[in-house]
């Protein structure tokens, strides 16, 4: 089967026409991110994805990472691929130049990361986790630790992990028990000894890098109970001296790997800290503020997992499309002499359109948020920064929750397009569903995202940010109304109508949610996930509508003798129309569920289940 | 983890209050199916499911069936379980007494089969396929062959298979190439020699039984091209003499097993016929009518697969519920001193309610159709038979398509309730998703069901049967309106409103579909699956509404001093209300998709994908 091909044409369309890459490249520190350089980066990362990562996706899944004699071995080819990955500088793309990074903005690292995830999600988790650990150190690490750890982590010769979960403490980190005892061995500088067991540690141990830098949540002896008594520690697999050289093996070990539904190549470790004298750990920032630091990083981590939804949808779509063009079965429903490729069958085409439309909507939304992350970080004007930060904060749970839920659905449709072959593992379609299934769970389940959305992001500011978003969508509707003339005018009018209805449903639900959050907190929470889904559908539809507007302008210009890829722009409008009729159309029903659904959710006593 | 417990209380409710078991037991030949006997059967099959089949579900998945030295071995414990299964007479439940069966109606064998499927779907496929082969022989086999094969097949000491698919012929059986050459070895009686390769043969080989009776589609030398030249043959693994004794090994062999996403314990074989002299095969019925015979059996087979959707939902629900009651995590959103079982969190409860509501709706619809199958077969009055047969024909694609699609969704929600543990295979939740994923594919994909629904079942009679169904739902609405007084009156009114809206959406979509099927066949097909989903949601909602009506009457009677399980009936109303707000609410959006969605489906040329 053909390997993954990066959808560079659509990525460029989103970057240049929907996101405003130009504006981002005018930000201080982003001057290098010109359209030309970005094109070059996309070409190169696309090639690396197709040639190096994609060929290892299925073999990595089949073989899986293994744990033998106390060591984790990644599947055949992963070590060499990771060497090439770091040598080509891919690990360093978005990190600060002072630690060896290339300092490129999120809007550039996002499509690149999408490619890694599409080509080989299990592989991509290693740099993802390293990136998370780097961010934590950049944000709150002491200078000394930054110098000790960051250059090698940015380069990728050391990787990072996040050690949060314990068997009794998943979503509820207040229940963490891992202990961190201040220690006094002068040679090691100020440090703690860490004791405890962590589970679900992605790339907790492996053979790709010389060292692994664990970031670990734990409690000091006198820490307050609950979330306010959790501190964050750096625990390297091998101790590191001040010059960055590797020293002794630290007292932290992988004790087993989980047997998972998907992402088999990514080792998910149970990690034991302090089997003997305690693992040496260095405090990040101040004691008892570990969870706060984690939350600072949360946006980036959740954004990255949302991107997995986009990436798996794209990959599943490519595979289903190739099969549908190739597989000959049954005659055309409108009549044909012989059996035809199944892409000619309306229901197969419906499934492919659903995958295409959802993927493009999610991608556009994801990249728009990425650009806002850059602006929020780097814009010289404080108000502009705050405005974009509010947008980012609002959108992160939507992007994380909706894109990952949709990713599962699209991967499942990808199987369906294959018929019986989809159920056979050799085909490769099933792996995407298995891999996608984790993304609605880790970095906060969809329920947690939805609670974050209705609480911190919606109710806390009384719906102000939501109103700004709704106002932007209303402006897009007005533009659609104006543009709905001539060729493709009917399509734009239909898109506008569906978007308008969806936006009203979203606005009414948001207003209800703000009221209910005060009046009836349980009712609000009962409607949280349907509300998140509604927000995702409408915001995705907004981006599809924006894309249709751009396409319409391009087509008008082409009609007047201008140049351009008319087929691409016509397809954009057709895809936006599909989205309007098949996806945005769900908005009204979701409003009903949000605004009335709580009575059924809470109707039964626990014993009645 | 606790084993599967058959939901006998809900099964009895559906059988006695929604289906009218009494009426079925008045049918000729069903006199034995009294409520008492049925209760006893449900108890016993429930026990067998919990004690024998359920404990092998996860181990069977992990070990899988294997193929070594030309033989298939089922997982540890399967052979013994199958022996107990047949010895207890479970295989013979629904077959005619003249061949050793117990002759019980479909309405009795259906809940029993649901239990096998819930407890161990992979195991249940063996009797399912045997049952299909028995039905084919009963319907069209010569008396001689019935006597040769049926007693042992009914008993279960021989099993059956259906050999349809070839690598180039899946949905499109016109493309079948397997050859059947008339042969003349007098000792064997009239027979053919079969040559060809079949794929995806469920339990095509195994070690559970002494003999395997393959039913095989193939072409005789002078057969017309396409579907009109396909004949059906009986090909036993071991030849059988007139006295039913086993003879020589026939020239049919398993050459490999597929590596599948789920149902690992069920061997899916590639079967080679005629490696040497050709496999000896006996014609069923007449030449060139094989596909017609297959279609006669199709209703039963599709009904059985639809039941897998119900069964997996039930199993996934039980597992998620047990976890949600047990797992302590995070405080109550309305405030609590400490962390609580996650069932107290509104979003977890929403997920559990969704599983519960969907499962009950699907079960009720499935059993209602089962009863109509019995009436259509056995009622003395011809018109009554025809009326019920039309209902069954209409509902089969709905039950098959909607229940299986919903089964996947519910199994996925089951994982979500478990959080990170859901992704770990040891938990068992992931297996249900993997197992459920085949059910929308085999025995005709959801797309094929939807085409059947809009074509043969809806457009062919100009929507007449659909109108009868809609009329029945309208009558239920009227009853709801009347009953919506006093306690639970508001709930019944809300259910009625939602059902009324859903029914209108269904009726309008059905009318559109009848028109479009003539005017624009591609548009009709583009909306077929959304229409099927709409039909499923509304017909499921109808059954939930009927259940709520029964519950309301019971509660009124209890309020007046009558006896009964008030908590159960209140839960029924609450569950129906949940269904109204969370599921029926999708109907309006689906109408939009059906009636307008084709324009987007067909908007792109193939090259634009």
């Amino acid at each position: 089967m053909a390997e993954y091909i990066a959808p560079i044409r659509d990525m460029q369309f989103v970057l240049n026409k929907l996101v405003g890459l130009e504006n981002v490249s005018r930000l201080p520190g982003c001057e290098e991110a010109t359209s030309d350089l970005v094109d070059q980066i996309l070409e190169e990362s696309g090639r690396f994805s197709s040639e190096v990562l994609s060929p290892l996706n299925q073999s990595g899944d089949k073989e899986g990472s293994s744990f033998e004699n106390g060591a984790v071995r990644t599947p055949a080819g992963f070590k060499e691929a990771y060497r090439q990955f770091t040598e080509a500088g891919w690990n360093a793309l978005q990190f600060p130049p002072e630690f060896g990074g290339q300092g490129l903005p999120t809007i550039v690292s996002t499509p690149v990361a999408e490619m890694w995830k599409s080509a080989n999600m299990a592989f991509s988790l290693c740099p993802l986790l390293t990136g998370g650990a780097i961010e934590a150190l950049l944000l709150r690490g002491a200078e000394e630790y930054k110098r000790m750890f960051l250059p090698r982590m940015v380069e990728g010769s050391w990787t990072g992990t996040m050690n949060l979960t314990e068997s009794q403490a998943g979503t509820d980190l207040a229940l963490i028990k891992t202990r961190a005892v201040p220690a006094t061995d002068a040679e090691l500088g100020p440090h703690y000894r860490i004791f405890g067991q962590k589970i679900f540690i992605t790339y907790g141990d492996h053979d790709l890098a010389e060292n692994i830098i664990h970031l670990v949540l734990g409690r000091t002896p006198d820490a307050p109970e609950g979330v306010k008594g959790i501190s964050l520690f750096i625990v390297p697999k091998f101790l590191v001296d001040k010059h960055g050289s590797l020293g002794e093996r630290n007292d932290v070990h992988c004790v087993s790997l989980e047997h998972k539904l998907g992402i088999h190549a990514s080792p998910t470790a149970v990690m034991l800290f302090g089997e003997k004298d305690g693992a040496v750990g260095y405090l990040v920032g101040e004691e008892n503020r570990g969870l706060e630091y984690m939350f600072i990083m949360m946006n980036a981590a959740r954004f990255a997992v949302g991107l997995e939804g986009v990436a798996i949808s794209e990959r599943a779509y490519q595979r289903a499309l190739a099969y549908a063009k190739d597989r000959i079965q049954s005659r055309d429903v409108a009549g044909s002499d012989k059996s035809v490729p199944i892409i000619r069958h309306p229901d197969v085409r419906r499934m492919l359109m659903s995958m295409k439309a959802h993927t493009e909507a999610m991608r556009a939304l994801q990249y728009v948020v990425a650009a806002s992350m850059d602006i929020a970080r780097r814009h010289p004007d404080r108000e502009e920064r705050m405005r974009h930060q509010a947008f980012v904060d609002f959108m992160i749970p939507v992007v994380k929750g909706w894109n990952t839920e949709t990713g599962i659905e699209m991967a499942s449709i990808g199987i369906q397009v294959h018929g019986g072959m989809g159920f056979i593992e050799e085909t490769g379609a099933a792996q995407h569903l298995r891999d996608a299934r984790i993304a609605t769970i880790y970095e906060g389940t969809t329920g947690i995202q939805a609670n974050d959305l209705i609480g911190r992001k919606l109710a806390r500011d009384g719906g102000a940010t939501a109103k700004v978003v709704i106002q932007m969508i209303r402006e897009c509707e007005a533009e659609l109304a104006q543009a709905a003339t001539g060729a493709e005018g009917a399509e734009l009018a239909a898109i506008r109508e569906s978007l308008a209805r969806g936006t009203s449903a979203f606005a009414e639900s948001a207003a209800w949610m703000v009221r209910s959050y005060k009046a009836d907190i349980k009712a609000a929470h009962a409607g949280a996930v349907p509300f998140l889904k509604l927000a995702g559908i409408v915001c995705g539809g907004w981006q599809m509508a924006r894309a249709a507007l751009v396409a319409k302008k391009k087509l008008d210009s082409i009609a007047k003798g201008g140049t351009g890829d008319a087929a691409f722009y016509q397809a954009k409008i057709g895809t936006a129309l599909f989205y309007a009729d098949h996806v945005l159309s769900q908005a009204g029903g979701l409003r009903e569920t949000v605004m009335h659904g709580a009575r059924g959710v809470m109707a039964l006593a626990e014993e009645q289940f």
Side-chain angles (χ1 to χ4, degrees), chain A:
Chain A
M1 113 103 224
E3 300 297 344
Y4 166 73
I5 306 290
I8 292 180
R9 181 73 185 85
D10 194 58
M11 289 174 163
Q12 286 171 330
F13 173 80
V14 176
L15 291 176
N16 294 310
K17 305 298 180 194
L18 298 185
V19 159
L21 178 61
E22 289 174 7
N23 298 332
V24 174
S25 64
R26 279 194 214 104
L27 295 171
C30 295
E31 297 82 354
E32 281 187 29
T34 60
S35 187
D36 281 354
L37 179 75
V38 171
D39 285 353
Q40 202 184 321
I41 289 173
L42 295 184
E43 286 292 341
E44 280 178 31
S45 57
R47 197 175 310 122
F48 191 86
S49 299
S50 301
E51 293 175 4
V52 180
L53 298 185
S54 174
L56 297 177
N57 192 43
Q58 195 169 5
S59 60
D61 175 68
K62 197 170 176 187
E63 183 183 345
S65 276
S66 58
F67 181 66
E68 273 168 43
N69 305 320
V72 174
R73 200 180 60 224
T74 56
F78 269 54
K79 206 166 167 176
E80 172 60 17
Y82 187 75
R83 192 188 60 74
Q84 291 182 43
F85 182 83
T86 53
E87 280 186 11
W90 291 118
N91 201 66
L93 207 65
Q94 72 269 38
F95 301 115
E98 69 172 302
F99 296 107
Q102 298 174 44
L104 285 163
T106 305
I107 192 54
V108 179
S109 64
T110 296
V112 171
E114 183 194 315
M115 294 182 194
W116 312 146
K117 290 166 193 289
S118 279
N120 196 323
M121 178 168 154
F123 178 94
S124 78
L125 292 172
C126 186
L128 172 70
L129 269 291
T130 304
I134 290 171
E135 293 292 343
L137 291 179
L138 281 171
L139 284 164
R140 291 294 181 266
E143 278 309 313
E144 181 190 356
Y145 300 142
K146 288 186 186 174
R147 284 194 308 273
M148 267 169 82
F149 296 109
L150 284 179
R152 306 298 302 276
M153 291 173 78
V154 167
E155 180 183 84
S157 55
W158 299 353
T159 66
T161 72
M162 308 300 295
N163 287 249
L164 285 66
T165 306
E166 300 175 9
S167 62
Q168 79 293 349
T171 292
D172 190 358
L173 293 171
L175 303 177
I176 278 178
K177 287 182 186 163
T178 292
R179 291 180 303 122
V181 186
T184 51
D185 185 340
E187 265 182 56
L188 294 166
H191 70 283
Y192 296 71
R193 292 283 178 171
I194 314 287
F195 302 88
Q197 182 170 294
K198 296 285 183 178
I199 64 168
F200 296 164
I201 309 309
T202 301
Y203 280 93
D205 197 24
H206 59 78
D207 55 1
L208 302 179
E210 296 158 18
N211 202 3
I212 302 173
I213 312 305
H214 304 288
L215 291 192
V216 184
L217 289 182
R219 293 182 183 283
T220 54
D222 304 322
E225 274 192 23
V227 293
K228 288 179 180 167
I230 296 172
S231 306
L232 181 63
F233 301 91
I234 309 165
V235 181
K237 177 177 177 179
F238 290 97
L239 297 180
V240 177
D241 70 18
K242 306 235 159 154
H243 314 290
S245 307
L246 296 189
E248 269 181 56
R249 184 73 168 79
N250 202 354
D251 186 12
V252 47
H253 296 275
C254 171
V255 291
S256 65
L257 293 185
E258 303 290 356
H259 175 222
K260 309 186 299 294
L261 175 60
I263 51 168
H264 290 164
S266 165
T268 302
V270 176
M271 300 297 297
L272 186 58
F273 295 82
E275 199 178 11
K276 298 170 197 156
D277 306 332
V280 173
Y282 308 101
L283 183 67
V284 177
E286 298 170 26
E287 278 190 9
N288 298 331
R289 297 183 62 182
L291 216 61
E292 181 191 327
Y293 304 156
M294 279 289 151
F295 267 95
I296 298 175
M297 297 169 43
M298 209 64 102
N299 267 0
R302 291 178 170 179
F303 177 85
V305 175
L307 189 57
E308 290 172 2
V310 185
I312 292 287
S313 289
E314 171 68 36
R315 185 80 167 108
Y317 168 65
Q318 290 190 13
R319 196 182 291 273
L321 179 61
Y323 187 81
K325 287 183 169 178
D326 189 55
R327 172 74 170 170
I328 310 285
Q329 199 80 172
S330 301
R331 299 186 186 190
D332 192 302
V333 291
S336 65
D337 288 346
K338 45 185 185 173
S339 299
V340 297
I342 61 171
I343 191 174
R344 305 241 175 108
H345 300 313
D347 186 58
V348 172
R349 191 166 291 208
R350 181 190 61 80
M351 292 192 276
L352 293 171
M353 282 301 294
S354 183
M355 298 178 86
K356 180 176 163 65
H358 277 100
T359 306
E360 293 180 13
M362 290 191 285
R363 176 179 295 126
L365 187 61
Q366 187 98 33
Y367 292 11
V368 163
V369 175
S372 277
M373 288 166 89
D374 287 322
I375 299 169
R377 188 179 302 164
R378 314 208 195 205
H379 200 282
D381 182 58
R382 185 170 172 276
E383 276 204 12
E384 193 71 354
R385 286 201 306 275
M386 285 179 62
R387 202 167 64 80
H388 281 273
Q389 189 61 49
F391 180 75
V392 168
D393 289 342
F394 187 85
M395 282 298 168
I396 288 288
V398 177
V399 160
K400 200 290 186 180
W402 182 63
N403 286 5
T404 58
E405 292 283 347
T406 306
I408 294 171
E409 207 184 315
M410 296 305 117
S412 189
I413 294 177
I415 292 176
Q416 192 70 16
V417 170
H418 286 81
M421 289 307 295
F423 199 64
I424 306 299
E425 287 285 3
E426 279 74 4
T427 307
Q431 183 190 345
H432 302 317
L433 176 61
R434 291 190 288 96
D435 288 351
R437 192 63 196 79
I438 188 58
T440 60
I441 297 172
Y442 59 17
E443 294 295 343
T445 63
T446 307
I448 294 299
Q449 304 305 319
N451 293 350
D452 180 49
L453 177 65
I454 64 164
R456 278 181 291 269
K457 310 305 171 61
L458 179 72
R460 186 179 282 178
D461 74 1
T465 305
K467 278 179 193 152
V468 172
V469 171
I470 288 161
Q471 182 52 34
M472 289 192 281
I473 307 178
R474 293 293 188 204
E475 283 162 22
C476 174
E477 281 172 37
E479 285 185 64
L480 283 164
Q482 277 206 314
T485 59
E488 293 90 26
E491 285 84 348
L492 262 67
I495 294 166
R496 193 207 65 78
E497 191 186 329
S498 186
L499 182 62
R501 282 199 222 166
T503 310
S504 296
F506 178 42
E508 289 162 35
S509 299
W512 177 91
M513 193 57 88
V514 170
R515 288 195 307 275
S516 300
Y517 204 82
K518 279 187 197 155
D520 185 353
I521 184 74
K522 285 205 173 185
H525 277 258
V529 166
F531 178 74
L532 181 146
K533 189 175 176 189
L534 174 56
I537 281 174
V538 171
C539 293
W542 169 31
Q543 301 311 322
M544 292 307 280
R546 293 182 62 216
L549 270 171
V550 171
K552 165 72 169 150
K553 279 174 200 158
K554 282 281 174 187
L555 288 169
D556 285 351
S557 139
I558 292 168
K560 285 174 194 152
T563 58
D565 183 353
F568 177 84
Y569 295 114
Q570 277 155 354
K572 266 290 171 204
I573 292 176
T575 307
L577 183 62
F578 178 93
Y579 188 96
D581 292 331
H582 291 252
V583 190
L584 269 172
S585 52
Q586 297 166 33
L590 287 165
R591 173 186 45 206
E592 296 307 304
T593 301
V594 170
M595 293 173 62
H596 304 298
R599 56 191 178 190
V601 171
M602 308 310 295
L604 273 59
E606 267 168 61
E607 318 75 71
Q608 284 175 298
F609 277 89

